Amino acid sequence: MGACFACLIAIAGCSLRKKEAVFPQVWATGPSERIDSGEPLREESPYFRSTENMIRLVGAVNETVGVECVLSAIGRPPASVGIGVEDFVGATATIERSAVRMYRHYPVTIERFPRWYVRTLGPSEGREFPDALVPLGNMESGAADTLVVAAGTNLPVYIEVRIPKDARPETYHSAIVLRTGENETCRAPIELVVRDVFLSPEDALPVVAGVQLGPILEAQTGLDPRNIGAALDNDGARGVMREAFELLHEHGLSPYTNDVRPRALPTGEGGAMDWESYDRFCGPLIDGTAYGDGRAAHAWPLPVDVHQPDPAQYEGLASPSYRAALRAQLAEVHRHFKSAGWLEKSYLDFDYPPSVNPSAEEYERFRGLASPAKGLDPRPVILSRLIPQPMGAFGWFDYRHEELDEVVGIWATPARYEHAATLASLRSNGKRTWMLPDRPPYSGSLGVEAPPVHARSLAWQAFLRGHEAILLPKTTDWPATILGEPIADSETATDTWLIYPGKHFGVDGFVPSVRLKQLQIGLQEYQYLRLLEENGRAETARLLAASLIQASGTDAYGDHYQDGVTGRRVDDPEVWEQARALLTQETALALAEEREDAVDSSLNLMGWARFLGATRRLEARVESARVSVDPRTRQPKYLVTFDVAIRSSLRTSIEGELSFGGLPAGARAIKVPARVGPVQEWGMVKRAIAYETTELPPRDLDGHFRQTIVFDAGASGRVQVEGVVSVVAPVKAARPILMDGRLDDWGPGESNVAGDFRLVDDQAPRPRAERQTVAYFCYAGDYLYVGVRAAVPPGATASAGMMRRNIVEYEDLTPVGEDLVEILLDPTGAGTLSDDLYHIVIKSTGDLVVERGVGVTPPIGRTEPWAGKRPDYAVSISDDGWTAEIAIPISSLGPQAARSRVWGINLARMEPQRGEYSDWARAPRHCYDARSLGNLIWPE
């Protein structure tokens, strides 16, 4: 959290009654910041004024504002204090301290990380993530539980103030009160500015949130989680389940459940059902009488899907008897919902087909499931999670798209497949769209390990996309061993619960998560955005939102649908606080009769300058650095070409020049500088620049030459990037290499080494892999020999615990789960697609996978079996790593292989202990683009 500041007094904002009392320092920062236990505090934060030692909050009437209050004993003795709060007193009104809630963080341990996390935040060992928020004491009494702050640590306390809906807009003053066992106190002052803005529930973005009842019963009651029907007859169990709905509702969500079903009557004629227990439990949740504010559910699924009626009792989904039972049950459910007045809020969700790429049979079956709804009046609205547009334009060539306009009324497409133009077209045709969150870079993540702003960002993204609601299918589906065991299984999702069972913490009911609080903050900020939009400031609202979320859905694709481009969502919580400050100011200005009465205009302008400077910029990226040889000259002449992408998020069109920042001796630039532009806001332009030379650039011992490239856009900015030319030259072996995996018969060579593997991510400069890999190249006869040395973490053993298998699993264009090295070859040197690659995978287990193309699932191109003789290979394991030797028959790589002087080549390594995926040739984003390979140059 930055350098420690000496200027804070020993006890921030506190006056002691006894000198010997020990108190921690008090500091505060935004609600989306994670606090490191041992890191010194920064001097400033958006929520803390160091000059006054004051915590400052700003909010609207009927808004819940949060802050991370930090009790710090960094460089101080340990402290044991109670924590409480005073009333908030304004010039004309008071907000009582009962409006305040305080929470202690409780961590969840995670030992496995999804690929998007590793790629954007770096490899990570298992660690704790503070997520559960356990309430502290009773604020109405002015004091809470005793907290112990260990020496050299920080203890964060999440504090929220629920500004009443009848609060007067003005400035209020209060204080956090720390108290020792001897009743000595210190005060940390708080200033709360309540703006003349009212956040009405009528303007809120609905979050249709599924509640799973089984985990609740298992964790809180001890009843059989599989017997929901019996639990509904138990008053205590019903009360426990209802508490989960109340907590979610309190945070702005619209919870529902599809675990409760009406009971079929014994006769079963005409779909007749017993609705008593269903109505008793679900009725108040649908009409809102279960909640103190009386707010009804935004939407509720009809209790009909592919599980009820049960297809197994009717010879399967496609059978006529099942269709008849479905028609009868749907008619009865429709009749009951209509008579209860719930039909307007209902929708039909079969959650079918199960695959995002359905077969023709599944499409037809889906239409068959929906057909009974056509005869009902009014016709039920059907929800689908399918993709509403063809995907061929995005590189998914075998995606089967069929029009479903006559069937689907609500589209809840996973965020990674959302296409903005398609969404707009659907809505113009009377369809409704709900946002179904996914994962970065296509949307924010609700995973425990995600940066907290991800949950906050979902409502902002829904605003940009124009969605009616957000759909969260699971909010209480926690692992059975939650908090008891680390989450280590890659199959265990961490985004399927937003609350925790209180029994784990010795409290009644349920406790919220950090992610639920962040979601609530984002939902409130959505209301500000809507107020701006409704009061003539729509462009201001979109400027703020689009600066934080610069790409989502299909806009976050690179070359194709599996190539997600990261770095276009702001994860820095301080920048989000800058956006919030501007959002509240601009809303106050939009609603104020007199501009001067709303905000300080000079501070507002300074805030805009800081915010746009932090989110809008010029970017340049070298996407490939390739070498070619002119065969028409006696003396070899090399052409070194760099493909550069220029992207601008500046608000004005820009133009500039692309040039080299100095060239190797003897090199001559060709048509440089190159003119670039105009580049519009959010636009990207790609240009190639090149130089020719009779001598290859001098490489380091790992096979790299670094070339500076400059894009100069004049007053709009100047960007300097580094292009890395990766070159390896195989040496001729005195005799064929013995395939024993030992490398002891390899002779010395020059420029035949590929090393310094860097992580395949979007950081600049790219971090060096901790577990390094080195490759060596030689040739003899028809064989290219590749020797590989791969290091493993200290104390680890290569291939320990790994199963032998001849397949590779991928996640986000990355092999996962095994220690392996990939060799990617383009023997023509002119390939452009993954189809053009020869793909060799050698595993530490001794397994080999070879293919033409890259067999990821879903596919990114064609794959074919390896043609001709397969490579020979051997693997050996030592205490500090593993070694492989591969003999690749050149004749098996096609007729042009023997004639090409320059091949495209790259090597990549997956080290599963830390999840490090690294490569040699510095491929951007992923390694399966033939254009981004390095260079293997054969001797004349």
Side-chain angles (χ1 to χ4, degrees):
M1 290 171 53
C4 183
F5 52 99
C7 61
L8 274 181
I9 59 174
I11 314 298
C14 300
S15 57
L16 306 185
R17 296 180 180 177
K18 293 184 180 181
K19 292 183 179 180
E20 63 270 16
V22 175
F23 290 94
Q25 285 182 338
V26 179
W27 188 74
T29 191
S32 299
E33 186 164 345
R34 282 187 175 133
I35 311 302
D36 191 291
S37 175
E39 193 171 353
L41 305 178
R42 298 193 306 272
E43 183 172 354
E44 296 284 347
S45 90
Y47 286 72
F48 185 78
R49 292 178 177 173
S50 63
T51 54
E52 305 169 35
N53 295 314
M54 178 180 287
I55 300 170
R56 187 171 188 267
L57 307 176
V58 179
V61 177
N62 204 35
E63 181 179 11
T64 298
V65 293
V67 63
E68 285 285 5
C69 178
V70 183
L71 307 182
S72 178
I74 300 290
R76 300 182 53 75
S80 179
V81 294
I83 185 170
V85 68
E86 298 176 347
D87 291 340
F88 287 80
V89 180
T92 63
T94 297
I95 298 175
E96 296 183 355
R97 61 193 177 198
S98 58
V100 177
R101 298 287 186 273
M102 294 188 180
Y103 301 89
R104 174 78 179 269
H105 296 76
Y106 197 94
V108 174
T109 302
I110 296 180
E111 294 183 346
R112 64 98 190 102
F113 295 89
R115 189 66 213 160
W116 69 259
Y117 180 95
V118 176
R119 181 178 168 188
T120 56
L121 300 174
S124 179
E125 310 288 350
R127 55 169 290 196
E128 293 182 340
F129 291 86
D131 190 55
L133 293 174
V134 183
L136 288 172
N138 180 3
M139 291 301 105
E140 294 183 11
S141 67
D145 304 345
T146 298
L147 301 174
V148 176
V149 187
T153 68
N154 299 310
L155 179 64
V157 176
Y158 188 84
I159 300 177
E160 64 182 13
V161 183
R162 303 179 181 186
I163 301 173
K165 61 183 178 181
D166 58 354
R168 292 183 62 87
E170 59 180 327
T171 299
Y172 297 81
H173 291 92
S174 176
I176 294 171
V177 180
L178 302 182
R179 191 183 307 273
T180 69
E182 289 74 32
N183 216 29
E184 296 149 319
T185 63
C186 87
R187 299 174 69 255
I190 307 175
E191 179 183 87
L192 170 63
V193 177
V194 178
R195 295 201 184 278
D196 193 6
V197 176
F198 179 74
L199 300 188
S200 169
E202 302 303 318
D203 299 325
L205 173 69
V207 180
V208 183
V211 177
Q212 291 66 52
L213 302 181
I216 292 174
L217 293 174
E218 184 172 23
Q220 296 286 87
T221 70
L223 297 176
D224 184 355
R226 297 165 297 182
N227 194 345
I228 305 296
L232 292 174
D233 294 330
N234 183 306
D235 291 342
R238 286 200 310 274
V240 168
M241 292 186 289
R242 187 72 58 80
E243 287 174 342
F245 286 81
E246 291 170 351
L247 183 58
L248 294 168
H249 178 92
E250 176 186 304
H251 286 82
L253 278 59
S254 178
Y256 72 89
T257 185
N258 49 23
D259 289 346
V260 179
R261 309 296 177 124
R263 294 166 178 165
L265 292 175
T267 62
E269 296 179 0
M273 297 178 176
D274 178 2
W275 288 93
E276 181 182 358
S277 61
Y278 184 94
D279 290 355
R280 183 173 60 224
F281 186 80
C282 296
L285 301 171
I286 299 173
D287 62 28
T289 55
Y291 307 119
D293 60 6
R295 181 161 47 91
H298 174 75
W300 194 275
L302 296 172
V304 177
D305 56 28
V306 294
H307 304 293
Q308 180 157 336
D310 185 358
Q313 297 179 3
Y314 299 94
E315 301 178 342
L317 286 172
S319 70
S321 57
Y322 172 75
R323 295 287 175 84
L326 175 64
R327 185 175 293 106
Q329 180 164 316
L330 183 55
E332 166 62 12
V333 168
H334 184 275
R335 180 202 64 75
H336 185 79
F337 266 62
K338 187 174 183 179
S339 66
W342 303 335
L343 199 58
E344 185 178 340
K345 298 181 180 298
S346 70
Y347 63 95
L348 192 55
D349 180 11
F350 290 108
D351 195 12
Y352 187 90
S355 167
V356 74
N357 187 11
S359 64
E361 181 183 23
E362 287 173 325
Y363 270 115
E364 186 58 33
R365 192 168 293 160
F366 178 65
R367 291 188 180 93
L369 290 170
S371 62
K374 294 180 180 179
L376 300 174
D377 184 30
R379 179 177 173 179
V381 178
I382 297 176
L383 178 143
S384 174
R385 296 173 175 83
L386 294 176
I387 304 174
Q389 76 274 343
M391 292 295 290
F394 305 110
W396 195 346
F397 300 113
D398 73 339
Y399 178 77
R400 184 181 186 88
H401 171 72
E402 295 186 16
E403 293 293 338
L404 293 170
D405 284 351
E406 81 284 3
V407 176
V408 178
I410 301 174
W411 287 96
T413 302
R416 79 182 78 175
Y417 306 119
E418 278 191 0
H419 181 230
T422 299
L423 293 177
S425 176
L426 289 170
R427 287 192 290 268
S428 70
N429 291 324
K431 305 300 181 181
R432 298 155 64 185
T433 67
W434 292 0
M435 178 181 173
L436 182 58
D438 207 321
R439 55 182 172 79
Y442 316 108
S443 77
S445 169
L446 280 172
V448 171
E449 66 275 14
V453 295
H454 278 219
R456 183 174 178 176
S457 75
L458 296 180
W460 291 69
Q461 182 169 331
F463 171 80
L464 285 171
R465 290 294 195 183
H467 286 299
E468 170 198 314
I470 295 174
L471 175 63
L472 303 181
K474 295 183 178 182
T475 60
T476 61
D477 193 17
W478 49 72
T481 57
I482 186 65
L483 303 176
E485 297 179 6
I487 296 176
D489 182 1
S490 61
E491 299 300 315
T492 302
T494 64
D495 60 356
T496 58
W497 73 94
L498 292 176
I499 61 177
Y500 290 83
K503 277 195 172 182
H504 287 296
F505 311 99
V507 300
D508 294 333
F510 300 85
V511 304
S513 66
V514 168
R515 293 164 293 132
L516 180 60
K517 296 295 183 185
Q518 294 298 308
L519 183 59
Q520 180 185 37
I521 292 170
L523 293 171
Q524 293 173 154
E525 290 166 341
Y526 172 93
Q527 291 180 270
Y528 280 104
L529 292 167
R530 286 297 305 274
L531 284 171
L532 280 177
E533 189 176 55
E534 293 165 2
N535 287 275
R537 305 288 182 90
E539 288 304 313
T540 301
R542 294 194 70 81
L543 174 60
L544 283 165
S547 296
L548 294 171
I549 304 170
Q550 300 178 7
S552 60
T554 62
D555 293 337
Y557 293 173
D559 293 328
H560 51 75
Y561 75 108
Q562 287 213 57
D563 178 21
V565 179
T566 63
R568 298 186 184 176
R569 305 178 68 88
V570 174
D571 288 346
D572 185 342
E574 195 153 329
V575 177
W576 277 83
E577 296 308 332
Q578 292 176 17
R580 173 184 166 78
L582 292 169
L583 182 61
T584 61
Q585 291 168 16
E586 293 293 339
T587 307
L589 287 172
L591 298 177
E593 293 183 4
E594 298 292 338
R595 181 183 179 92
E596 291 76 16
D597 294 339
V599 299
D600 186 320
S601 60
S602 62
L603 290 177
N604 178 260
L605 290 173
M606 290 171 57
W608 273 110
R610 285 196 305 272
F611 175 69
L612 293 177
T615 58
R616 304 289 186 124
R617 60 178 63 88
L618 280 177
E619 302 172 42
R621 176 200 292 273
V622 177
E623 300 214 321
S624 72
R626 298 300 296 273
V627 178
S628 58
V629 177
D630 187 345
R632 297 169 300 177
T633 59
R634 290 186 179 181
Q635 183 179 8
K637 182 180 289 185
Y638 300 99
L639 186 68
V640 183
T641 304
F642 299 85
D643 289 327
V644 184
I646 307 296
R647 179 177 180 270
S648 173
S649 55
L650 302 180
R651 301 193 66 208
T652 57
S653 174
I654 62 103
E655 295 185 49
E657 292 183 338
L658 192 64
S659 61
F660 293 112
L663 288 174
R668 183 178 70 87
I670 301 175
K671 296 181 181 180
V672 172
R675 193 70 186 166
V676 178
V679 185
Q680 306 298 333
E681 181 185 16
W682 309 124
M684 177 183 289
V685 173
K686 296 186 178 183
R687 289 287 183 271
I689 58 173
Y691 64 79
E692 62 180 12
T693 178
T694 56
E695 298 289 338
L696 284 170
R699 283 94 67 201
D700 60 25
L701 296 177
D702 295 305
H704 298 122
F705 169 72
R706 291 164 178 80
Q707 172 65 55
T708 300
I709 297 173
V710 177
F711 176 64
D712 192 340
S716 297
R718 184 175 186 271
V719 183
Q720 180 173 300
V721 294
E722 183 181 80
V724 179
V725 186
S726 303
V727 177
V728 68
V731 297
K732 188 171 184 178
R735 62 183 63 86
I737 302 295
L738 176 65
M739 292 291 101
D740 57 7
R742 296 173 57 185
L743 298 180
D744 56 359
D745 53 349
W746 287 61
E750 183 178 348
S751 301
N752 72 326
V753 180
D756 188 23
F757 280 46
R758 300 294 179 106
L759 300 182
V760 180
D761 62 21
D762 282 338
Q763 299 182 60
R766 282 170 47 173
R768 194 170 188 268
E770 281 196 21
R771 315 307 173 200
Q772 274 295 302
T773 308
V774 182
Y776 308 90
F777 298 82
C778 66
Y779 68 97
D782 185 46
Y783 287 95
L784 170 67
Y785 296 99
V786 184
V788 175
R789 177 64 184 162
V792 298
T797 301
S799 75
M802 298 180 188
M803 294 179 60
R804 296 203 60 172
R805 54 183 186 166
N806 61 349
I807 61 171
V808 181
E809 292 185 6
Y810 298 87
E811 179 184 339
D812 288 350
L813 300 181
T814 302
V816 294
E818 297 178 274
D819 199 339
L820 55 82
V821 170
E822 297 176 283
I823 303 172
L824 298 137
L825 292 170
D826 168 23
T828 71
T832 58
L833 304 172
S834 65
D835 311 37
D836 301 320
L837 298 173
Y838 288 84
H839 186 214
I840 301 170
V841 181
I842 183 77
K843 304 182 183 183
S844 64
T845 55
D847 296 294
L848 183 76
V849 178
V850 293
E851 60 187 349
R852 180 76 185 271
V854 183
V856 300
T857 303
I860 57 173
R862 296 189 307 272
T863 59
E864 300 173 5
W866 186 275
K869 188 177 181 181
R870 289 166 59 90
D872 193 8
Y873 69 99
V875 173
S876 65
I877 295 176
S878 61
D879 292 340
D880 58 351
W882 59 281
T883 303
E885 291 178 316
I886 307 102
I888 305 170
I890 297 173
S891 57
S892 69
L893 303 179
Q896 193 171 340
R899 300 193 297 266
S900 296
R901 279 285 314 281
V902 182
W903 290 8
I905 188 169
N906 197 6
L907 293 98
R909 162 90 184 285
M910 167 51 71
E911 191 285 295
Q913 298 290 329
R914 282 174 46 83
E916 287 189 334
Y917 186 54
S918 58
D919 84 318
W920 168 69
R922 310 292 193 269
R925 301 193 303 273
H926 69 92
C927 296
Y928 306 139
D929 183 346
R931 297 167 298 180
S932 66
L933 301 176
N935 308 274
L936 184 147
I937 300 181
W938 290 93
E940 294 182 71

